[in-house]
Amino acid sequence: MFTPPKRPVPVFPLPNLVLFPEVELPLHVFELRYRTMVREALSSERWLAMATLKPGWEADYHDSPAYHDLGCLGRFEDVEWLPNDCYNLRLLGVRRVRLGRVAREFPYRACLVEVLDDAPFDESDPPAQMERAALLETARKLLPLGSEAWLAPPRTGDDAPFEVVVNSIAQCARLATAAKLELLAVDSVVDRARYLHEHLKRFRPSGPAPPTAGSGRN
């Protein structure tokens, strides 16, 4: 059973990356402050809040660049310590969160988080079934495009829960970062699927896209 963290959560802000609940994200952590963050999180509750840096982050990256206040609470699933003292992580998105007051600035930021609950829905309801079918049909048509359309293969199996399908396609599709943040902000999974489907229907391959949320490096 999910218990929201009551203490400040370490924040890992990266450019052009949006994590969704129920989706795994591989991360390679090499920067000293974030290696410290990983070690301290491992000795605590293994929580991490993924945040998306705002435009212009390059000018302030080594200090405290601004990030969007909508993010995703994640939990370490696997951690590999490397000989060079870096880490490879597998982070699982758990809940959408609003990133609040910063309680710690050095060597990395930690903040209080407000968990954002999704609107309840029944997967057997006709609207959910219709949106699932339409989204999967369009996503499967785009799968042959490979890296032109996808940062990583999404979960599109018939046995996957609706929320997993929606969020996996949203994270893995080559969509603009702003579009992904808009999708993350939607409280209804059914509505999120509908809006995501509209984005996919407008998709046209146009060469390399920015390195968004298939995997991340700091």
Side-chain angles (χ1 to χ4, degrees), residues 9 29 60 100 116 135 147 156:
V9 176
V29 181
D60 197 29
L116 304 175
L135 178 62
S147 60
T156 57

Side-chain angles (χ1 to χ4, degrees), residues 62-199:
H62 293 290
D63 191 10
S64 296
Y67 53 75
H68 294 276
D69 66 354
L70 178 65
C72 185
L73 182 67
R75 192 178 184 91
F76 297 151
E77 292 290 292
D78 287 318
V79 179
E80 179 187 8
W81 179 71
L82 303 174
N84 59 359
D85 203 30
C86 299
Y87 292 93
N88 286 334
L89 310 177
R90 186 164 58 88
L91 191 70
L92 175 65
V94 177
R95 292 292 183 91
R96 300 178 307 123
V97 290
R98 187 73 62 187
L99 305 174
R101 179 178 63 84
V102 175
R104 171 178 178 169
E105 284 280 358
F106 184 83
Y108 57 86
R109 284 175 283 185
C111 73
L112 299 173
V113 299
E114 175 193 359
V115 174
L116 304 175
D117 292 324
D118 286 340
F121 71 97
D122 187 335
E123 292 205 29
S124 64
D125 284 346
Q129 292 182 335
M130 290 173 59
E131 293 301 335
R132 178 190 179 105
L135 178 62
L136 281 173
E137 180 183 9
T138 299
R140 286 167 177 167
K141 288 179 180 177
L142 294 174
L143 285 177
L145 294 176
S147 60
E148 289 185 274
W150 305 100
L151 299 159
R155 286 189 61 182
T156 57
D158 293 331
D159 59 337
F162 185 37
E163 181 184 6
V164 173
V165 168
V166 174
N167 290 350
S168 177
I169 293 173
Q171 181 164 314
C172 294
R174 280 192 180 274
L175 300 177
T177 303
K180 293 193 176 191
L181 285 169
E182 290 175 0
L183 291 168
L184 187 64
V186 178
D187 294 334
S188 165
V189 175
V190 177
D191 287 343
R192 191 180 306 147
R194 183 180 305 117
Y195 301 148
L196 174 58
H197 186 211
E198 292 300 318
H199 280 292

Side-chain angles (χ1 to χ4, degrees), residues 34-53:
Y34 295 125
R35 283 185 279 155
T36 302
M37 176 188 71
V38 170
R39 285 193 292 270
E40 293 184 356
L42 286 172
S43 66
S44 183
E45 298 178 294
R46 301 172 74 96
W47 290 123
L48 199 63
M50 292 302 302
T52 307
L53 289 171

Side-chain angles (χ1 to χ4, degrees), residues 10-44:
V11 178
F12 195 6
L14 289 174
N16 303 319
L17 193 151
V18 180
L19 177 63
F20 285 79
E22 304 299 333
V23 185
E24 291 184 348
L25 176 69
L27 292 166
H28 177 67
V29 181
F30 60 87
E31 195 173 335
L32 178 58
R33 56 179 165 174
Y34 295 125
R35 283 185 279 155
T36 302
M37 176 188 71
V38 170
R39 285 193 292 270
E40 293 184 356
L42 286 172
S43 66
S44 183

